[in-house]
Amino acid sequence: MVPDELADLPYADLLRPHTGPLTVEGDYDTVHFDGLTYQDGEAANGSRFLESAVTDCLFADTNLRRTRFNDVWASGTRFTGVSLAETDWLDSSLTGCSLAGVEFFGAVLRRVVLRRCKLDSVNLRGAALHDVVFEDCVLRDVDFGEAKLAGVTFPGSRLERARFGRATLAKADLRGAVAIDLADGYDSLRGAVISSSQLLDLAPALAATLGITVADR
């Protein structure tokens, strides 16, 4: 279960507030980032965040590439034009966060939950997602091209113009999604689990991808 409140974190009493800038290859252990703004090229690439919390912060045009996030809880935070490429996420969650124009390519996410988040033009190409949950999220123009999705679920989420070209899916469960609209990659849905009603909705695009002509006369 992912806590909805900061006080419910098992390490809440250990958190200490962070002030000041981020540093490259920094080590942030049991740190609370609250209401802070990092922008205009600030960098923390190669850093390590462990049992930390991020609340109501803004990251804009910042570099967090190759950073590790282990047991990190983020809430109400905006990521705009941020590089999270090749990052490593484990047992972490984002609640009520917004990600726009974020580079996430080559990232590895394991046992990560995104709840009530908005993802707009997020690049997850070549990423590896294992047991990731997108719960009540909006995924608009998200690129999963060449990504590997294993045990990924989308309960209550909307996929709008998502890209799955050359993606590899293993037990990726789309049945909970309230809308599935793909810009490409219908032929990469092998390994996905969908409902019968979703199949009916996707049938015309699947038929067109396979070169099937549907005609009653």
Side-chain angles (χ1 to χ4, degrees):
M1 298 294 293
V2 177
D4 271 331
E5 301 294 335
L6 179 68
D8 295 331
L9 293 173
Y11 49 83
D13 292 339
L14 302 176
L15 293 171
R16 63 186 189 280
H18 179 81
T19 57
L22 297 171
T23 59
V24 173
E25 298 184 354
D27 195 353
Y28 302 99
D29 191 340
T30 55
V31 175
H32 183 198
F33 300 83
D34 181 45
L36 302 175
T37 297
Y38 299 103
Q39 59 187 351
D40 299 332
E42 287 192 65
N45 47 303
S47 294
R48 172 179 169 272
F49 294 79
L50 173 63
E51 292 189 338
S52 294
V54 183
T55 54
D56 302 319
C57 290
L58 169 63
F59 293 84
D61 300 314
T62 52
N63 184 358
L64 298 172
R65 189 165 183 158
R66 297 193 184 93
T67 295
R68 296 180 61 187
F69 299 88
N70 191 338
D71 207 352
V72 171
W73 184 84
S75 175
T77 292
R78 291 183 292 155
F79 300 87
T80 304
V82 175
S83 177
L84 287 166
E86 301 175 280
T87 50
D88 190 294
W89 298 70
L90 176 64
D91 294 329
S92 297
S93 66
L94 291 85
T95 299
C97 294
S98 172
L99 297 85
V102 172
E103 294 180 346
F104 238 131
F105 58 84
V108 177
L109 290 77
R110 291 166 290 180
R111 299 193 300 272
V112 173
V113 176
L114 293 92
R115 177 181 293 163
R116 298 188 299 275
C117 293
K118 294 182 179 180
L119 290 78
D120 196 341
S121 301
V122 173
N123 181 357
L124 278 157
R125 293 189 67 83
L129 290 75
H130 303 275
D131 300 320
V132 173
V133 179
F134 294 93
E135 180 182 341
D136 297 330
C137 295
V138 175
L139 295 87
R140 182 176 297 116
D141 295 311
V142 174
D143 191 349
F144 291 101
E146 301 182 10
K148 296 180 180 179
L149 288 74
V152 178
T153 59
F154 300 84
S157 292
R158 302 181 62 88
L159 285 81
E160 302 175 1
R161 300 184 301 277
R163 295 184 176 275
F164 280 87
R166 300 177 66 182
T168 302
L169 279 61
K171 297 181 180 179
D173 196 338
L174 293 163
R175 288 175 296 180
V178 296
I180 304 175
D181 172 32
L182 305 188
D184 64 27
Y186 287 96
D187 55 345
S188 295
L189 291 180
R190 181 189 301 271
V193 181
I194 61 175
S195 67
S196 55
S197 61
Q198 289 172 332
L199 176 59
L200 292 175
D201 292 337
L202 295 172
L206 290 171
T209 299
L210 295 174
I212 297 174
T213 300
V214 180
D216 296 325
R217 297 182 59 182

Short mmCIF file of all heavy atoms in Angstrom, two decimals, residues 158-181:
data_model
loop_
_atom_site.label_atom_id
_atom_site.label_comp_id
_atom_site.label_asym_id
_atom_site.label_seq_id
_atom_site.Cartn_x
_atom_site.Cartn_y
_atom_site.Cartn_z
N ARG A 158 -6.15 6.79 -18.31
CA ARG A 158 -6.46 7.08 -19.70
C ARG A 158 -5.16 7.17 -20.49
O ARG A 158 -4.24 7.91 -20.11
CB ARG A 158 -7.21 8.41 -19.83
CG ARG A 158 -8.52 8.48 -19.07
CD ARG A 158 -9.20 9.84 -19.29
NE ARG A 158 -9.54 10.03 -20.69
CZ ARG A 158 -10.69 9.62 -21.23
NH1 ARG A 158 -11.59 9.01 -20.48
NH2 ARG A 158 -10.93 9.82 -22.50
N LEU A 159 -5.09 6.42 -21.59
CA LEU A 159 -3.95 6.50 -22.50
C LEU A 159 -4.41 7.24 -23.75
O LEU A 159 -5.33 6.77 -24.45
CB LEU A 159 -3.44 5.11 -22.87
CG LEU A 159 -2.63 4.37 -21.80
CD1 LEU A 159 -3.57 3.72 -20.79
CD2 LEU A 159 -1.74 3.31 -22.43
N GLU A 160 -3.81 8.39 -24.02
CA GLU A 160 -4.19 9.22 -25.16
C GLU A 160 -2.99 9.40 -26.08
O GLU A 160 -1.97 9.96 -25.69
CB GLU A 160 -4.70 10.58 -24.68
CG GLU A 160 -5.88 10.49 -23.71
CD GLU A 160 -6.28 11.85 -23.16
OE1 GLU A 160 -5.64 12.86 -23.55
OE2 GLU A 160 -7.21 11.90 -22.34
N ARG A 161 -3.11 8.87 -27.29
CA ARG A 161 -2.06 8.95 -28.31
C ARG A 161 -0.73 8.37 -27.79
O ARG A 161 0.35 8.90 -28.07
CB ARG A 161 -1.86 10.40 -28.77
CG ARG A 161 -3.12 11.01 -29.39
CD ARG A 161 -2.86 12.42 -29.93
NE ARG A 161 -2.40 13.33 -28.89
CZ ARG A 161 -3.20 13.97 -28.05
NH1 ARG A 161 -4.50 13.80 -28.10
NH2 ARG A 161 -2.70 14.80 -27.16
N ALA A 162 -0.84 7.31 -27.02
CA ALA A 162 0.37 6.64 -26.52
C ALA A 162 1.07 5.89 -27.65
O ALA A 162 0.42 5.40 -28.58
CB ALA A 162 0.01 5.68 -25.39
N ARG A 163 2.38 5.78 -27.53
CA ARG A 163 3.17 5.09 -28.55
C ARG A 163 3.80 3.83 -27.95
O ARG A 163 4.44 3.89 -26.92
CB ARG A 163 4.26 6.02 -29.10
CG ARG A 163 3.71 7.23 -29.84
CD ARG A 163 4.81 8.09 -30.47
NE ARG A 163 4.25 9.17 -31.25
CZ ARG A 163 3.86 9.07 -32.51
NH1 ARG A 163 3.97 7.90 -33.14
NH2 ARG A 163 3.35 10.10 -33.15
N PHE A 164 3.59 2.71 -28.66
CA PHE A 164 4.12 1.43 -28.20
C PHE A 164 4.95 0.75 -29.29
O PHE A 164 5.17 -0.46 -29.23
CB PHE A 164 2.98 0.50 -27.78
CG PHE A 164 2.44 0.77 -26.41
CD1 PHE A 164 1.42 1.70 -26.21
CD2 PHE A 164 2.93 0.10 -25.30
CE1 PHE A 164 0.91 1.95 -24.95
CE2 PHE A 164 2.43 0.33 -24.03
CZ PHE A 164 1.41 1.26 -23.85
N GLY A 165 5.40 1.50 -30.27
CA GLY A 165 6.15 0.91 -31.37
C GLY A 165 7.36 0.11 -30.89
O GLY A 165 8.21 0.63 -30.17
N ARG A 166 7.41 -1.18 -31.26
CA ARG A 166 8.53 -2.08 -30.95
C ARG A 166 8.72 -2.28 -29.44
O ARG A 166 9.79 -2.65 -28.98
CB ARG A 166 9.83 -1.58 -31.59
CG ARG A 166 9.74 -1.48 -33.12
CD ARG A 166 11.01 -0.91 -33.72
NE ARG A 166 12.14 -1.82 -33.52
CZ ARG A 166 13.38 -1.55 -33.92
NH1 ARG A 166 13.65 -0.39 -34.51
NH2 ARG A 166 14.35 -2.41 -33.71
N ALA A 167 7.66 -2.04 -28.69
CA ALA A 167 7.72 -2.32 -27.25
C ALA A 167 7.53 -3.82 -27.02
O ALA A 167 6.98 -4.53 -27.86
CB ALA A 167 6.63 -1.55 -26.51
N THR A 168 7.99 -4.30 -25.87
CA THR A 168 7.84 -5.70 -25.50
C THR A 168 6.99 -5.76 -24.23
O THR A 168 7.36 -5.20 -23.20
CB THR A 168 9.20 -6.37 -25.23
OG1 THR A 168 10.02 -6.25 -26.40
CG2 THR A 168 9.03 -7.83 -24.89
N LEU A 169 5.85 -6.44 -24.31
CA LEU A 169 4.92 -6.52 -23.20
C LEU A 169 4.84 -7.94 -22.66
O LEU A 169 4.76 -8.90 -23.44
CB LEU A 169 3.52 -6.06 -23.62
CG LEU A 169 3.26 -4.55 -23.67
CD1 LEU A 169 4.17 -3.86 -24.66
CD2 LEU A 169 1.79 -4.27 -24.03
N ALA A 170 4.89 -8.08 -21.35
CA ALA A 170 4.73 -9.37 -20.70
C ALA A 170 3.75 -9.21 -19.54
O ALA A 170 4.07 -8.56 -18.55
CB ALA A 170 6.08 -9.88 -20.18
N LYS A 171 2.57 -9.78 -19.70
CA LYS A 171 1.52 -9.66 -18.69
C LYS A 171 1.24 -8.20 -18.32
O LYS A 171 1.00 -7.87 -17.16
CB LYS A 171 1.88 -10.46 -17.44
CG LYS A 171 1.99 -11.96 -17.68
CD LYS A 171 2.31 -12.72 -16.41
CE LYS A 171 2.42 -14.21 -16.68
NZ LYS A 171 2.77 -14.97 -15.45
N ALA A 172 1.30 -7.34 -19.31
CA ALA A 172 0.92 -5.94 -19.11
C ALA A 172 -0.61 -5.88 -19.16
O ALA A 172 -1.21 -6.22 -20.18
CB ALA A 172 1.53 -5.05 -20.19
N ASP A 173 -1.22 -5.49 -18.07
CA ASP A 173 -2.67 -5.58 -17.92
C ASP A 173 -3.32 -4.23 -18.19
O ASP A 173 -3.20 -3.30 -17.39
CB ASP A 173 -3.00 -6.07 -16.51
CG ASP A 173 -4.44 -6.56 -16.40
OD1 ASP A 173 -5.27 -6.15 -17.24
OD2 ASP A 173 -4.73 -7.34 -15.48
N LEU A 174 -4.02 -4.14 -19.31
CA LEU A 174 -4.68 -2.90 -19.70
C LEU A 174 -6.17 -2.91 -19.36
O LEU A 174 -6.89 -1.95 -19.66
CB LEU A 174 -4.52 -2.68 -21.20
CG LEU A 174 -3.09 -2.38 -21.69
CD1 LEU A 174 -2.98 -2.60 -23.19
CD2 LEU A 174 -2.69 -0.96 -21.33
N ARG A 175 -6.65 -3.97 -18.73
CA ARG A 175 -8.09 -4.10 -18.52
C ARG A 175 -8.69 -2.99 -17.66
O ARG A 175 -9.84 -2.61 -17.83
CB ARG A 175 -8.39 -5.46 -17.87
CG ARG A 175 -8.23 -6.62 -18.82
CD ARG A 175 -8.42 -7.95 -18.10
NE ARG A 175 -7.38 -8.15 -17.08
CZ ARG A 175 -7.33 -9.24 -16.31
NH1 ARG A 175 -8.26 -10.18 -16.42
NH2 ARG A 175 -6.36 -9.37 -15.42
N GLY A 176 -7.89 -2.43 -16.75
CA GLY A 176 -8.42 -1.39 -15.87
C GLY A 176 -8.42 -0.01 -16.49
O GLY A 176 -8.98 0.93 -15.92
N ALA A 177 -7.79 0.14 -17.65
CA ALA A 177 -7.73 1.46 -18.30
C ALA A 177 -9.12 1.87 -18.77
O ALA A 177 -9.86 1.07 -19.33
CB ALA A 177 -6.76 1.42 -19.47
N VAL A 178 -9.46 3.14 -18.56
CA VAL A 178 -10.79 3.61 -18.97
C VAL A 178 -10.79 4.06 -20.42
O VAL A 178 -11.87 4.22 -21.01
CB VAL A 178 -11.27 4.75 -18.05
CG1 VAL A 178 -11.45 4.25 -16.63
CG2 VAL A 178 -10.31 5.93 -18.07
N ALA A 179 -9.61 4.27 -21.00
CA ALA A 179 -9.51 4.64 -22.41
C ALA A 179 -8.14 4.23 -22.93
O ALA A 179 -7.13 4.43 -22.24
CB ALA A 179 -9.73 6.14 -22.61
N ILE A 180 -8.12 3.65 -24.13
CA ILE A 180 -6.87 3.26 -24.77
C ILE A 180 -6.85 3.82 -26.18
O ILE A 180 -7.59 3.37 -27.06
CB ILE A 180 -6.69 1.73 -24.83
CG1 ILE A 180 -6.79 1.11 -23.43
CG2 ILE A 180 -5.36 1.37 -25.48
CD1 ILE A 180 -6.74 -0.41 -23.44
N ASP A 181 -6.02 4.80 -26.39
CA ASP A 181 -5.87 5.42 -27.71
C ASP A 181 -4.39 5.41 -28.04
O ASP A 181 -3.60 6.08 -27.36
CB ASP A 181 -6.43 6.85 -27.69
CG ASP A 181 -6.12 7.60 -28.98
OD1 ASP A 181 -6.05 6.95 -30.04
OD2 ASP A 181 -5.94 8.83 -28.91
#
